[in-house]
């Protein structure tokens, strides 16, 4: 956030934040506060019951509380669904993405 990405914050471009209650939580909350200070729209992936980020973010998607090593697996699910639905809304063909290398392996 400190060198570059902070300049991209605007009301027109939503910021997706992965903010589970793990070791980096306080730093993530600090970054969210910086985004809010610049009037950014925040979509946050949070741990169930997290009221701090829920009060800061514009939209929240909750994932279950789990071991820290499993958080990336759980956070990937809503991110993939969000990417899918954004592509559909934009009119992209999600079954045949552009620029995907097509290859067949024959043995």
């Amino acid at each position: 956030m400190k060198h570059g990405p902070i300049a991209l914050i605007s009301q027109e471009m939503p910021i997706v934040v992965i903010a589970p209650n793990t070791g980096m939580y306080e730093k993530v909350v600090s970054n969210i506060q910086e985004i809010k200070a610049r009037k950014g729209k925040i979509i946050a992936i949070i741990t169930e019951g997290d009221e701090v980020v829920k009060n800061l973010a514009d939209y929240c998607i909750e994932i279950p509380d789990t071991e820290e090593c499993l958080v990336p697996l759980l956070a990937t699910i809503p991110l993939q669904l969000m990417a899918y639905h954004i592509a559909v809304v934009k009119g992209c063909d999600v079954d045949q993405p552009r620029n995907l290398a097509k290859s067949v392996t024959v043995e």
Side-chain angles (χ1 to χ4, degrees), residues 20-22 47 63-74:
N21 199 355
T22 60
T47 304
I63 59 174
D65 191 15
T66 188
E67 297 291 323
E68 189 168 348
C69 64
L70 297 176
V71 169
L73 294 173
L74 290 177

Side-chain angles (χ1 to χ4, degrees), residues 10-94:
S10 72
Q11 293 178 327
E12 294 80 36
M13 178 61 71
I15 311 296
V16 178
V17 178
I18 303 170
N21 199 355
T22 60
M24 299 297 287
Y25 182 76
E26 295 303 322
K27 289 186 179 194
V28 172
V29 170
S30 174
N31 285 336
I32 291 171
Q33 290 168 338
E34 286 189 42
I35 294 166
K36 286 308 281 185
R38 288 162 177 76
K39 310 257 188 273
K41 297 264 190 238
I42 300 171
I43 302 169
I45 310 287
I46 62 171
T47 304
E48 277 180 325
D50 182 350
E51 294 299 321
V52 174
V53 176
K54 191 179 279 189
N55 291 330
L56 292 171
D58 297 293
Y59 304 97
C60 289
I61 302 168
E62 293 185 356
I63 59 174
D65 191 15
T66 188
E67 297 291 323
E68 189 168 348
C69 64
L70 297 176
V71 169
L73 294 173
L74 290 177
T76 299
I77 298 166
L79 293 171
Q80 287 288 327
L81 288 170
M82 192 173 3
Y84 169 81
H85 288 290
I86 289 169
V88 169
V89 167
K90 288 185 71 175
C92 298
D93 186 354
V94 293

